[in-house]
């Protein structure tokens, strides 16, 4: 059996590495923590856990169907996981399918650093970088606006934000 090399890309004090199957519980934990709507469910603990698990399974299934080439990366600082990002490098755009930091790592600029490096990568290949942002996620909306993203499509629940390397 040939071992695959671990690819690591420096992002200031952060590094990105491709996620391994052993990272899935951590990715799920980060996903669950980034969904405040799942925290607001009123019901028995078993029902709440069932709904949370269904949402996770649906996210994984839908992202796999819509973005079969998407890659999960673990965001690490000093060897410890602080977040995760799932990116699809498509034919005409790079799409951030999911990005979130652990609750204790939020507000420290890690998400901004990861997004800025994704912008650098998108600029190098001349493609836009897009993301779907929940309407209720005001902090994320402010961040994307500050990084030069533009809201291009709106819906009742979430909007599509796009950054263009040329400033569009």
């Amino acid at each position: 059996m040939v071992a695959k090399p671990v690819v690591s890309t420096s992002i200031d004090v952060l590094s990105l590495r491709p996620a391994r199957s052993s990272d899935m519980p951590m990715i799920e934990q980060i996903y669950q923590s980034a969904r405040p709507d799942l925290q607001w469910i009123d019901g028995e603990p078993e029902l709440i856990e069932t709904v949370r698990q269904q949402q996770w399974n649906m996210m994984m299934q839908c992202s796999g169907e819509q973005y079969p080439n998407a890659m999960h990366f673990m965001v690490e600082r000093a060897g410890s996981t602080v977040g995760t990002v799932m990116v699809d490098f498509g034919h005409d755009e790079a799409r951030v399918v999911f990005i979130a930091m652990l609750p204790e790592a939020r507000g420290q600029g890690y998400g901004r650093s990861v997004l800025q490096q994704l912008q650098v990568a998108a600029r190098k290949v001349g493609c836009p970088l897009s993301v779907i942002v929940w309407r209720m996620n005001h902090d994320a909306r402010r961040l994307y606006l500050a990084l030069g993203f533009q809201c291009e499509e709106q819906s009742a629940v979430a909007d599509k934000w796009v950054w263009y390397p040329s400033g569009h």
Side-chain angles (χ1 to χ4, degrees):
M1 184 168 159
V2 177
K4 292 183 180 180
V6 174
V7 178
S8 185
T9 306
S10 177
I11 302 177
D12 294 326
V13 298
L14 301 180
S15 63
L16 289 183
R17 69 163 173 80
R20 301 180 282 262
S21 58
S22 61
D23 293 316
M24 291 313 288
M26 176 61 78
I27 293 170
E28 181 178 358
Q29 176 187 340
I30 295 168
Y31 171 79
Q32 299 287 359
S33 74
R35 292 282 311 269
D37 56 315
L38 297 178
Q39 313 300 320
W40 302 331
I41 300 170
D42 187 26
E44 296 295 320
E46 290 175 8
L47 170 66
I48 294 168
E49 186 54 35
T50 298
V51 171
R52 291 174 65 176
Q53 194 61 47
Q54 287 173 341
Q55 288 295 305
W56 165 251
N57 292 341
M58 188 61 99
M59 193 280 288
M60 292 303 292
Q61 178 183 341
C62 290
S63 62
E65 290 172 0
Q66 292 179 356
Y67 310 104
N69 297 320
M71 296 178 61
H72 260 117
F73 293 93
M74 301 308 291
V75 182
E76 296 182 335
R77 181 172 188 266
S80 296
T81 298
V82 295
T84 186
V85 61
M86 184 180 191
V87 184
D88 178 64
F89 300 97
H91 297 292
D92 56 356
E93 74 176 3
R95 172 158 310 203
V96 177
V97 179
F98 176 71
I99 182 171
M101 302 300 128
L102 285 165
E104 59 271 20
R106 292 183 191 143
Q108 298 182 41
Y110 299 149
R112 174 184 294 270
S113 293
V114 171
L115 290 166
Q116 288 172 325
Q117 290 304 313
L118 291 173
Q119 287 175 309
V120 168
R123 181 178 288 119
K124 285 182 180 179
V125 296
C127 74
L129 179 64
S130 68
V131 63
I132 302 297
V133 182
W134 293 95
R135 287 209 138 189
M136 67 180 178
N137 192 341
H138 303 294
D139 291 337
R141 296 166 69 84
R142 278 191 295 275
L143 173 60
Y144 289 112
L145 189 60
L147 291 175
F149 284 74
Q150 304 165 20
C151 183
E152 290 206 344
E153 296 175 19
Q154 296 182 335
S155 74
V157 178
D159 301 329
K160 180 178 181 180
W161 288 70
V162 182
W163 173 84
Y164 293 93
S166 62
H168 196 56

